[in-house]
Amino acid sequence: MKTAGEYICDAIWKLKPNSEFSFVDDDYSTIKWDVLEGKAPTKAEVDAAIEQVKEEEAQTAAQAAAKRQALLDKLGITEEEAKLLLG
């Protein structure tokens, strides 16, 4: 599970991919911009981007689970049996 700070970083890089910054205690108000093209994203924009990142991660996890299950079905084994085989 990611920390709040990791989500803040992911969200900012989603909004401003070339930015460089630091912050303290997972607090948006403490962000110090070292490199920033254009205006700094607002807290609301960062919060919205955090939700997008979380949704994208959930979709990726769901797709991986579906692929894993499709492979297990193709092999005709359960996840527990696969774990035993890969042990």
Side-chain angles (χ1 to χ4, degrees):
M1 183 87 175
K2 287 186 177 181
T3 66
E6 290 170 322
Y7 278 114
I8 291 171
C9 289
D10 288 349
I12 290 173
W13 286 323
K14 183 176 186 60
L15 296 167
K16 299 289 184 177
N18 298 318
S19 64
E20 295 179 18
F21 56 92
S22 59
F23 56 93
V24 179
D25 295 329
D26 302 335
D27 184 357
Y28 173 87
S29 68
T30 67
I31 294 175
K32 177 183 172 288
W33 298 98
D34 299 316
V35 175
L36 176 64
E37 297 174 1
K39 291 184 177 183
T42 65
K43 182 170 184 340
E45 290 170 329
V46 171
D47 289 343
I50 288 171
E51 292 308 311
Q52 289 176 344
V53 167
K54 287 180 179 181
E55 288 173 19
E56 290 166 0
E57 289 176 349
Q59 288 174 356
T60 299
Q63 290 170 347
K67 287 180 182 180
R68 184 172 51 251
Q69 188 58 51
L71 178 58
L72 292 172
D73 292 346
K74 185 176 181 179
L75 295 171
I77 61 174
T78 65
E79 187 170 347
E80 292 78 24
E81 292 168 330
K83 287 178 184 178
L84 285 171
L85 288 172
L86 298 173

